[in-house]
Amino acid sequence: MAQAWKCSGLRWSADGPVLVWDGGRRSALTRGKRVAFGVAEGGARICVGARGHTCPAGAAMPGRSTGARCEECARLDRAHSVAADTIADDPRPYRVYLAWFGPGMVKVGITAQARGSARLLEQGAVCFSWLGLGPLMAARRTEELLRAALRVPDRIPYAEKRAVRAALPETAADRAREVAELYERAVALPAWPESLVREPLRVVDHMGVFGLGGLPAAVGQVSELVAGGGVGGELVAAAGPDLHLATGGGVVVLDTRLMTGWGLVPAAAGEPTVPIRQFKEAAGVQDGLF
């Protein structure tokens, strides 16, 4: 029986996306590469634990969950989390950013300065610009100011991001326009926190990094992994946690967060044999398994 590996998720490095495995092994994901793996027969998806510790209950997790953590481990993982607003005295400097994912989809967010643009790559931001730099609470107040005064969301569902990736504007100028317009409105707000230093507008475009130019529209996405099932396809693009895989039935999106918690084994390159949720616009493709 082949050794089963546990995936820790997709990470973005200076060289592009990599799959990280328990134990530290990494698999580079280059466009054109054949991605193929199977789920161990008779296996179950188990909670991945929290903060480097295994789940004490070894809780079983549903296949469709993107978190792969039980309620208790999820609570522990979010303890002392900036995202959960449980750290008010973090001394590190933070940046406020504006991120664009497609027409009409701009969000505001914050990230530690030390992380650079990693957070934007992880979210699948097609382009972005820094807005300001300062203490955590000033960055958080600015984020709230934009939400309240300009009605800018701080979250955009992945389903909406995926739906537009194959139909993005062709030029970088067109992709940057909404970010630039929102930037001007944001810096003109009178209640800007004094301790947050405004950063100049400089739009960074990830279209090429993600490989979205000329991307075929996806026909569906993997809804869950199942014991004994497999995934296979040629990598044509990667954005955030998503892999766009070319299969015999068209391009299928795999959210790599669905891989965590499973025992995965090598597999011969073949078509997906896991549940696929067909997109409504993908006419003529049969529902269910490929």
Side-chain angles (χ1 to χ4, degrees), residues 41-125:
E41 289 278 0
R45 194 182 192 198
I46 303 300
C47 171
V48 296
R51 299 187 172 274
H53 301 284
T54 58
C55 174
M61 297 300 300
R64 294 174 184 253
S65 167
T66 55
R69 285 189 174 91
C70 67
E71 184 175 344
E72 180 63 17
C73 287
R75 184 186 66 78
L76 292 173
D77 190 64
R78 288 180 67 82
H80 305 293
S81 166
V82 171
D85 278 334
T86 57
I87 303 178
D89 57 352
D90 189 334
R92 297 177 298 170
Y94 278 79
R95 275 175 154 161
V96 184
Y97 61 81
L98 298 173
W100 183 89
F101 301 89
M105 290 188 286
V106 185
K107 62 156 280 186
V108 61
I110 68 173
T111 185
Q113 182 186 26
R115 294 208 68 208
S117 61
R119 181 66 180 143
L120 286 305
L121 292 165
E122 291 167 357
Q123 294 181 67

